[in-house]
Amino acid sequence: MTARALSLSLAIIMGGMMTMAGAVTPLAAQEPDLPPLPGPPGSAPDAPPPRQLPKSERQLINECRQAYEVRDYAAAEAACLPIAEDGNVLAQRTLGMIYLSGYGAFRPHVQAEKWIRKAAEAGDAQAQFTLGTMYLHGVGVTKLDKTAAEWILKAAEQRHQEAQDTIAYMYLVGQGVPRRNDLALYWYKRAADAGYPKSQYNLGVLYHKGQAVPRDESQALYWIRRAAANGYPDAKKFLEDVDPRRK
């Protein structure tokens, strides 16, 4: 083969290789599509949010009471209502007190009576006394002295001291119950013996005036001094005016 022919052959071969090289698909385009590697746990944008555990009844009643104490009635209602509907007596009573304060746009006193009654019927002494005083003063309900006495007596029988003092007065004057000096004295004495200052003072005044009991100044001063020692203002004033030891 002459030098010219050899040169021509090489040119043809090299041209063919260049043509083949131009037709070859790049390597990267020949690799199969692979799914992206997973990121760290929880990094996926569509990962569900962590599940929120429901609040316990104790948590809700604590939130309810704390909000009520600072008069955040909206928060108190939100915490109390679910467990009140489930029968929690403390939540029922607190919810009633929220509405009794006037909170709520829809007939709050009607709602107050509803929830306080539920707690009272379940045996809660504070709710029984509250419901009784609502009937005694006609707050949110029709004033009914007999109904008031029935609920206040139920609370008094459960050692609710303010109820004991109230039912004692009702027996003393015959409000909603027959006038009974013996029962007035009994309930004043129960509350006074338990350390309720108002009843201690009231019992002392009965002895001082000789009302429902024979007059007895030594008993009067004994009970009024106990009330004063417990911080009752009227008892302190009485002693300043009457007690010879202070003159």
Side-chain angles (χ1 to χ4, degrees):
M1 180 178 294
T2 64
R4 187 168 180 272
L6 179 60
S7 176
L8 181 61
S9 297
L10 286 174
I12 293 170
I13 293 170
M14 292 299 294
M17 290 180 65
M18 292 295 294
T19 302
M20 292 177 62
V24 172
T25 304
L27 182 61
Q30 294 176 352
E31 292 179 350
D33 292 333
L34 298 176
L37 294 175
S43 64
D46 57 348
R51 186 169 67 91
Q52 296 292 327
L53 295 175
K55 291 182 179 179
S56 69
E57 183 173 316
R58 181 180 294 275
Q59 287 175 311
L60 286 172
I61 196 60
N62 286 340
E63 289 180 9
C64 167
R65 293 297 298 169
Q66 290 168 5
Y68 174 74
E69 288 169 3
V70 298
R71 299 185 182 182
D72 185 353
Y73 295 143
E77 179 188 41
C80 277
L81 187 58
I83 50 177
E85 290 174 338
D86 285 342
N88 184 289
V89 173
L90 180 55
Q92 290 172 343
R93 188 223 301 164
T94 305
L95 193 60
M97 296 303 294
I98 291 168
Y99 295 131
L100 192 60
S101 73
Y103 173 81
F106 180 71
R107 304 174 71 191
H109 284 159
V110 173
Q111 293 296 312
E113 193 273 344
K114 168 189 169 181
W115 289 108
I116 292 172
R117 179 179 289 277
K118 282 180 179 290
E121 290 174 346
D124 183 79
Q126 181 60 49
Q128 290 170 343
F129 176 67
T130 301
L131 186 60
T133 55
M134 288 172 68
Y135 280 105
L136 186 62
H137 300 292
V139 177
V141 293
T142 302
K143 179 175 166 57
L144 296 171
D145 287 346
K146 184 177 179 181
T147 303
E150 289 171 356
W151 284 110
I152 292 169
L153 183 58
K154 287 178 183 292
E157 289 169 344
Q158 293 200 70
R159 299 189 178 94
H160 189 290
Q161 294 171 7
E162 191 173 1
Q164 292 173 339
D165 184 83
T166 304
I167 199 65
Y169 175 79
M170 296 177 79
Y171 276 118
L172 186 66
V173 300
Q175 185 176 4
V177 290
R179 186 169 180 174
R180 293 277 303 271
N181 286 343
D182 58 332
L183 289 177
L185 186 64
Y186 169 79
W187 285 111
Y188 275 137
K189 187 75 162 51
R190 283 270 309 258
D193 283 338
Y196 188 59
K198 185 178 179 182
S199 290
Q200 292 171 339
Y201 173 74
N202 286 334
L203 186 58
V205 170
L206 291 184
Y207 278 112
H208 174 66
K209 293 181 176 180
Q211 184 180 2
V213 289
R215 187 175 183 187
D216 187 330
E217 281 301 319
S218 64
Q219 281 292 305
L221 290 175
Y222 169 78
W223 285 110
I224 292 172
R225 285 182 187 130
R226 286 189 62 179
N230 284 323
Y232 194 68
D234 289 352
K236 293 179 179 180
K237 186 176 186 307
F238 180 94
L239 291 177
E240 291 171 358
D241 296 338
V242 175
D243 188 354
R245 296 185 185 184
R246 294 179 178 245
K247 288 190 180 294

